[in-house]
Amino acid sequence: MMLSTEGREGFAVKVRGLPWSCSADEVMRFFSDRKIQNGTSGIRFIYTREGRSSGEAFVELESEEEVNLALKKDRETMGHRYVEVFKSNSVEMDWMLKHTGPNSPDTANNGFEEIVQFFSGSSRVAELKFEPTMIPLESSWLCSGQVPIIGWGLAEGIIALAGELGLKG
């Protein structure tokens, strides 16, 4: 099913090739002849998992006509870079913003920060370090502090590790 920018899906363009140091004001100037919805709040940058700018952004516009006019800016330059402009919508924008950047569930350090937070009140654990360990599936022995969590969720893994370390509620 093809998504359109009509109706509830809003009016937006995706911009690629922005300078990494680009600000919302610079994007506003680039699209100065377009009606950006809510001013600089209508410009949503995409970030890497490290929190750095990816050089991409979504720009929310006020109408389908504004989208079509914004598409004419495709391959124009901003500084020394040419910028690509693609038709998009709020569904794509919301998905990308949710699944990219340092706080997205897809890049959230595999839950390690949540494990540290869980144990942070315990006086029995001085420091936790993230060190992935491979345990052969046929191995039936585990050293203290190792819990097999293959196929378990984060909560079950934390509970099992807490039990192995003797930390109760």
Side-chain angles (χ1 to χ4, degrees), residues 103-126:
N103 297 318
S104 73
D106 294 347
T107 60
N109 201 13
N110 301 323
F112 178 66
E113 291 164 0
E114 290 153 356
I115 293 170
V116 171
Q117 184 178 16
F118 176 82
F119 287 116
S120 65
S122 172
S123 61
R124 299 193 59 196
V125 179

Short mmCIF file of all heavy atoms in Angstrom, two decimals, residues 103-126:
data_model
loop_
_atom_site.label_atom_id
_atom_site.label_comp_id
_atom_site.label_asym_id
_atom_site.label_seq_id
_atom_site.Cartn_x
_atom_site.Cartn_y
_atom_site.Cartn_z
N ASN A 103 17.89 7.83 22.00
CA ASN A 103 16.87 7.34 22.93
C ASN A 103 15.88 6.38 22.29
O ASN A 103 14.88 6.04 22.90
CB ASN A 103 16.12 8.51 23.55
CG ASN A 103 17.04 9.39 24.36
OD1 ASN A 103 17.88 8.89 25.09
ND2 ASN A 103 16.92 10.69 24.20
N SER A 104 16.14 5.95 21.08
CA SER A 104 15.19 5.07 20.42
C SER A 104 15.27 3.67 20.98
O SER A 104 16.32 3.23 21.43
CB SER A 104 15.46 5.04 18.92
OG SER A 104 16.62 4.30 18.66
N PRO A 105 14.15 2.93 20.96
CA PRO A 105 14.19 1.56 21.47
C PRO A 105 15.10 0.66 20.64
O PRO A 105 15.62 -0.32 21.16
CB PRO A 105 12.73 1.10 21.38
CG PRO A 105 12.03 2.08 20.53
CD PRO A 105 12.83 3.34 20.52
N ASP A 106 15.32 0.98 19.38
CA ASP A 106 16.16 0.14 18.52
C ASP A 106 17.64 0.31 18.80
O ASP A 106 18.44 -0.51 18.41
CB ASP A 106 15.91 0.47 17.04
CG ASP A 106 14.51 0.08 16.61
OD1 ASP A 106 13.83 -0.66 17.36
OD2 ASP A 106 14.10 0.50 15.52
N THR A 107 18.03 1.38 19.47
CA THR A 107 19.46 1.65 19.69
C THR A 107 19.76 1.89 21.16
O THR A 107 20.73 2.54 21.49
CB THR A 107 19.90 2.89 18.89
OG1 THR A 107 19.11 4.00 19.31
CG2 THR A 107 19.74 2.67 17.40
N ALA A 108 18.96 1.37 22.04
CA ALA A 108 19.06 1.70 23.47
C ALA A 108 20.08 0.84 24.22
O ALA A 108 19.81 0.37 25.29
CB ALA A 108 17.70 1.60 24.12
N ASN A 109 21.26 0.61 23.67
CA ASN A 109 22.35 -0.07 24.37
C ASN A 109 21.93 -1.42 24.92
O ASN A 109 22.36 -1.82 25.99
CB ASN A 109 22.91 0.84 25.47
CG ASN A 109 24.31 0.43 25.88
OD1 ASN A 109 24.95 -0.35 25.20
ND2 ASN A 109 24.77 0.97 26.99
N ASN A 110 21.04 -2.11 24.25
CA ASN A 110 20.60 -3.46 24.62
C ASN A 110 20.07 -3.56 26.05
O ASN A 110 20.13 -4.60 26.67
CB ASN A 110 21.75 -4.46 24.43
CG ASN A 110 22.20 -4.48 23.00
OD1 ASN A 110 21.40 -4.36 22.09
ND2 ASN A 110 23.49 -4.62 22.79
N GLY A 111 19.56 -2.49 26.63
CA GLY A 111 18.99 -2.53 27.97
C GLY A 111 20.00 -2.43 29.10
O GLY A 111 19.63 -2.48 30.27
N PHE A 112 21.28 -2.29 28.78
CA PHE A 112 22.31 -2.26 29.82
C PHE A 112 22.08 -1.13 30.82
O PHE A 112 22.22 -1.32 32.03
CB PHE A 112 23.69 -2.14 29.18
CG PHE A 112 24.80 -2.06 30.19
CD1 PHE A 112 25.09 -3.14 31.01
CD2 PHE A 112 25.56 -0.91 30.32
CE1 PHE A 112 26.11 -3.07 31.95
CE2 PHE A 112 26.58 -0.84 31.25
CZ PHE A 112 26.85 -1.92 32.06
N GLU A 113 21.69 0.06 30.33
CA GLU A 113 21.47 1.19 31.23
C GLU A 113 20.34 0.90 32.19
O GLU A 113 20.39 1.29 33.36
CB GLU A 113 21.20 2.45 30.42
CG GLU A 113 22.43 2.93 29.68
CD GLU A 113 22.12 3.92 28.58
OE1 GLU A 113 20.95 4.25 28.37
OE2 GLU A 113 23.08 4.36 27.93
N GLU A 114 19.30 0.17 31.75
CA GLU A 114 18.20 -0.19 32.63
C GLU A 114 18.66 -1.18 33.70
O GLU A 114 18.21 -1.13 34.84
CB GLU A 114 17.04 -0.75 31.81
CG GLU A 114 16.38 0.32 30.98
CD GLU A 114 15.72 -0.23 29.72
OE1 GLU A 114 15.84 -1.44 29.46
OE2 GLU A 114 15.07 0.55 29.03
N ILE A 115 19.57 -2.06 33.35
CA ILE A 115 20.10 -3.02 34.31
C ILE A 115 20.91 -2.28 35.39
O ILE A 115 20.75 -2.53 36.58
CB ILE A 115 20.97 -4.09 33.62
CG1 ILE A 115 20.09 -4.96 32.71
CG2 ILE A 115 21.71 -4.95 34.64
CD1 ILE A 115 20.88 -5.88 31.79
N VAL A 116 21.75 -1.35 34.96
CA VAL A 116 22.54 -0.56 35.91
C VAL A 116 21.60 0.21 36.84
O VAL A 116 21.81 0.24 38.06
CB VAL A 116 23.50 0.40 35.17
CG1 VAL A 116 24.15 1.37 36.14
CG2 VAL A 116 24.55 -0.39 34.42
N GLN A 117 20.55 0.80 36.28
CA GLN A 117 19.60 1.55 37.10
C GLN A 117 18.93 0.62 38.12
O GLN A 117 18.74 0.99 39.27
CB GLN A 117 18.57 2.23 36.22
CG GLN A 117 17.59 3.10 36.98
CD GLN A 117 16.61 3.79 36.07
OE1 GLN A 117 16.44 3.40 34.91
NE2 GLN A 117 15.95 4.79 36.57
N PHE A 118 18.60 -0.59 37.71
CA PHE A 118 17.96 -1.56 38.60
C PHE A 118 18.84 -1.86 39.80
O PHE A 118 18.39 -1.94 40.93
CB PHE A 118 17.64 -2.85 37.83
CG PHE A 118 17.06 -3.95 38.69
CD1 PHE A 118 15.71 -3.95 38.99
CD2 PHE A 118 17.86 -4.96 39.18
CE1 PHE A 118 15.16 -4.96 39.77
CE2 PHE A 118 17.32 -5.98 39.95
CZ PHE A 118 15.97 -5.98 40.25
N PHE A 119 20.15 -2.04 39.56
CA PHE A 119 21.06 -2.40 40.63
C PHE A 119 21.67 -1.20 41.36
O PHE A 119 22.42 -1.36 42.31
CB PHE A 119 22.21 -3.26 40.09
CG PHE A 119 21.78 -4.65 39.73
CD1 PHE A 119 21.84 -5.09 38.42
CD2 PHE A 119 21.33 -5.53 40.71
CE1 PHE A 119 21.45 -6.38 38.10
CE2 PHE A 119 20.94 -6.81 40.39
CZ PHE A 119 21.00 -7.25 39.09
N SER A 120 21.35 0.01 40.93
CA SER A 120 22.03 1.18 41.47
C SER A 120 21.81 1.38 42.96
O SER A 120 22.65 1.94 43.63
CB SER A 120 21.61 2.44 40.71
OG SER A 120 20.23 2.69 40.93
N GLY A 121 20.71 0.90 43.53
CA GLY A 121 20.46 1.07 44.95
C GLY A 121 21.08 -0.01 45.80
O GLY A 121 21.04 0.03 47.03
N SER A 122 21.70 -1.00 45.19
CA SER A 122 22.24 -2.14 45.93
C SER A 122 23.64 -1.85 46.43
O SER A 122 24.49 -1.37 45.70
CB SER A 122 22.26 -3.37 45.02
OG SER A 122 22.95 -4.42 45.66
N SER A 123 23.89 -2.19 47.69
CA SER A 123 25.24 -2.01 48.24
C SER A 123 26.13 -3.21 47.92
O SER A 123 27.32 -3.16 48.15
CB SER A 123 25.15 -1.83 49.76
OG SER A 123 24.57 -2.99 50.34
N ARG A 124 25.55 -4.29 47.37
CA ARG A 124 26.32 -5.49 47.10
C ARG A 124 26.97 -5.46 45.72
O ARG A 124 27.80 -6.30 45.43
CB ARG A 124 25.42 -6.71 47.22
CG ARG A 124 24.85 -6.81 48.63
CD ARG A 124 24.22 -8.08 48.94
NE ARG A 124 25.15 -9.19 48.79
CZ ARG A 124 24.74 -10.44 48.70
NH1 ARG A 124 23.46 -10.71 48.77
NH2 ARG A 124 25.61 -11.41 48.55
N VAL A 125 26.57 -4.54 44.88
CA VAL A 125 27.16 -4.45 43.55
C VAL A 125 27.82 -3.10 43.42
O VAL A 125 27.16 -2.07 43.39
CB VAL A 125 26.08 -4.64 42.45
CG1 VAL A 125 26.70 -4.52 41.08
CG2 VAL A 125 25.39 -5.97 42.59
N ALA A 126 29.14 -3.09 43.37
CA ALA A 126 29.87 -1.83 43.30
C ALA A 126 29.85 -1.25 41.89
O ALA A 126 29.67 -0.07 41.71
CB ALA A 126 31.31 -2.05 43.75
#
